[in-house]
Structures are given as C-alpha cells and as structure tokens.
Amino acid sequence: MSERLTPIVIVGARGRMGKALLREIIISDSMVLEAAVDRSGGPGLGQDAGRLAGLHELGIVVTDELLPRRSSVVVDFSLAQATEANIRKCTEAGVPLVLGTTGLSKATRELLRAAAKEVPIVSAANFSVGVTVLTKIAGLVAHALGEQWDAELLEIHHSHKRDAPSGTALRIAKAVAKATGRDLETAMRSDRAHAHARPRERGEIGISAIRGGDSVGEHTLMFLADGERLELTHRATDRAIFARGALRAAQWVVDQEPGLYTMADVLGLGGLG
Ligand code: NAD
C-alpha cells in the first residue's frame, strides 16, 4: 500500500454507503476527499460533504457532475442505471474505478470489461474483507475435505432483506461447488422446509436462510461428517466494513495496470484456489 494520500471521488455520496465512505475517508490519514457526487436534482446537492457524513465541515460540497482528476480514484456506490455514464467518465479521464453498485445489466458488465482494457477497475458485489476471505477458503476447504463431507450453509439477515438466499451465500456455495466439480444449479437445496420428506442426498449443497431483527449479515458454512463438524463463520455487525474494504481497494488499484480485478486480487488471494 502506498504512503501518499490517495484522492477519492465518491459517487452516490448521499446514500447509506456514500456517507459511510465519506466518514472513513475523513478519519483516514492515507486518503483525502477529492469530490462528492450524487444525482442531479437530489436533495443533498450543495451540502457540505463533511456535514453530510455527520462530521466537521470540509469545504467540499456535493455536486451532480463527475469530473475526476487524473491521479484520483472514483468509488461508485450509487445506482445501476448510472453506472455506464460513470464508467465512461473514468475511461475519458484515465482514472481507476472501484465499483460497488450491484444489479448491473449485461450491457453494463460488457462495458465494464471493455473499460478495464483502458483503466484498472475493482468490481465486487461484497467488499467485506472477511467475506472475501471466507469465500476463498470455502473452496480450498471443500476441495481438501472432498464430497464425503456434507456442505450446508446457514445465513441470517435483517427483516427488510427481500432476496433469499443472499447473494453472498450463493457465491460461497458456488465456490464450494466449483472446488468439488459440482454444478451449483443441480447441487443446491434451498427449499428443504417445503420439499417432500426425504433424506439428504450425497453431494447436495444446502442453504438455509433466517430473516429477523437488524442483523447486518451472518454466514456459516458447515462441513458435516460422521463424528465431526467443521464450521466457518463470518458475522457482519456494521455496514462500514463494505466502505473500509472498498477504500482498501481504492488505495490498491492506483498502482495497478488496466484490468478487471476482484476483492480477492486486492487481498493477494487472486491466484489461490
Ligand atoms: P442508497 O439508495 O442509500 O444510495 C444510493 C445513492 O446514489 C443515493 O444518494 C442516490 O441519490 C445516488 N444516485 C442515484 N443516481 C445517481 C447518479 N446518477 N449519480 C450519482 N449518484 C446517484 O443505496 P446504498 O445502500 O448506499 O447502496 C448503493 C449501491 O451499493 C447499491 O447498488 C447497493 O446494492 C450497493 N452495495 C454494495 C456493497 C458492496 O459491498 N459491493 C455493499 C452495500 C451496498
């Protein structure tokens, strides 16, 4: 990681993630806020970014125009529909991008791959360092244990979450399936409560989802065998973990060649598993 101050441009500054990112940059001694951007006509435009984050005044107001300066990094946690325009602004300016916005269309993902030939880009649907490591070791452990160990995943999220199983649970399950030569589509069992009563089949990858309270997100991957059980658990207690992970990626990406990178690459785990 470099010693210099990395100038960061936040896109989606008024959002939940935007404010968490602003707070982390303001308290950091290795980054500096270059600009804060949100959508045209939004209520936070013209507001001081420091005040918006609930901290001291910074003298940088939220604008609706993304004009990244060379040597800065754009960190985008906004809206999928805004992503294509933001990617183009980054390639035009020759500026690296850290993209956390989810729900990207196929066309946007294609544009992202093309843009990564010109500038370095880190894109991840989950910037948590802990989840990235868990996903990576899930495959390594599954491969070492083999199919004789039954793989089951348990995930817990707050009561407002709409999708089940979580995208993160699916990614962990996919890593297990890939490492053991299984196809997740056919191996996954996420409807046991409704399924006709029958014993577990060898090779299934079970996923159980619990919803309630204010849980930011918990994932436990279990490997069960006769006489022993191995459990790998990640518990998120604060959404700031995604902001910290994304900013770690921002400080890493400034030194990279053009390319499309994952959070595993940022952590030096890209070649493993
Ligand atoms: P949010 O709705 O609280 O904030 C989104 C912000 O983007 C809003 O302030 C909105 O005004 C702004 N915005 C909308 N259109 C814009 C545009 N054209 N230009 C600039 N800003 C625009 O949402 P959130 O919870 O902060 O999440 C934002 C995105 O990040 C979502 O896609 C979410 O799924 C994703 N997310 C990713 C991770 C991760 O680790 N990758 C973690 C949390 C959230």
Side-chain angles (χ1 to χ4, degrees), residues 11-19 37-40 42-43 63-64 76-83 86 99-103 124-128 239 242-243:
V11 182
R14 272 194 57 250
R16 277 166 293 196
M17 280 302 300
K19 283 186 238 172
V37 182
D38 209 285
R39 75 181 160 84
S40 302
T63 68
D64 62 357
D76 180 345
F77 280 73
S78 59
L79 198 68
Q81 289 83 336
T83 306
N86 298 336
L99 184 63
T101 307
T102 58
N126 190 319
F127 271 100
S128 153
R239 283 185 179 78
F242 306 118

Side-chain angles (χ1 to χ4, degrees), residues 35 55 97 101 199 229 237 239 266:
L55 299 170
L97 169 67
T101 307
R229 179 162 94 211
T237 55
R239 283 185 179 78
V266 174

